[in-house]
Amino acid sequence: MESLLYTISGLPVHALVVHFAVVILPLAATALIALIYMPKLKSQYSFITTIAVVLGSAAVFVAKQSGEALSEKIGTPVKHADYASLLTYTAFIFMVLTLIWYRSSKGRKSRVVTPLGHTTVLAAIAVLILTFLTGHTGAE
């Protein structure tokens, strides 16, 4: 029996999920950076951005798992797999930081960026870089 994460209706799951991860997570990371440094946007967009970070991080996890199922059939691109592992851990850390930032900044009107905000931005930048590197090596 084939793995559930290998194909859906004959299409590789990895090819389907990767597009979700590559679009949603970088978009959410960019939006979160804007929210942290432009607090007037926070009240309107922080909830939806936080949801997008969670969904994007989940998509990265599913893309990693489906990529492993695919690699059993076609071989493992080592560099791509290494970047994907780093991205999975980084996306998880980014998601946790985002959830903590969302909870701690909810209702606060301060325009001062906290150390947590700066740390979350650094994690967002790491996610953006690793998403690019993972996608680029996968496309090669």
Side-chain angles (χ1 to χ4, degrees):
M1 186 172 129
E2 282 188 357
S3 168
L4 178 63
L5 290 173
Y6 180 60
T7 63
I8 293 177
S9 298
L11 295 172
V13 171
H14 187 66
L16 300 170
V17 175
V18 147
H19 289 92
F20 189 72
V22 167
V23 172
I24 297 297
L25 191 59
L27 186 63
T30 305
L32 190 67
I33 292 169
L35 292 178
I36 289 172
Y37 290 123
M38 293 187 274
K40 65 182 177 183
L41 299 174
K42 186 171 59 173
S43 64
Q44 292 178 316
Y45 300 107
S46 63
F47 179 74
I48 191 70
T49 301
T50 302
I51 295 299
V53 168
V54 170
L55 292 175
S57 297
V60 167
F61 178 76
V62 174
K64 171 106 171 71
Q65 297 303 311
S66 63
E68 289 173 357
L70 182 62
S71 71
E72 291 174 9
K73 303 284 184 184
I74 65 168
T76 303
V78 177
K79 201 171 185 181
H80 177 63
D82 291 344
Y83 281 132
S85 293
L86 280 173
L87 177 59
T88 303
Y89 296 127
T90 306
F92 178 75
I93 291 167
F94 174 56
M95 179 185 70
V96 170
L97 287 170
T98 299
L99 291 169
I100 294 169
W101 172 83
Y102 174 74
R103 182 72 181 115
S104 68
S105 68
K106 193 174 179 180
R108 276 192 30 221
K109 299 292 184 195
S110 175
R111 296 177 89 41
V112 176
V113 179
T114 64
L116 175 62
H118 291 300
T119 305
T120 306
V121 166
L122 290 175
I125 292 168
V127 161
L128 289 168
I129 292 167
L130 285 170
T131 300
F132 171 79
L133 291 173
T134 305
H136 181 69
T137 56
E140 288 180 337

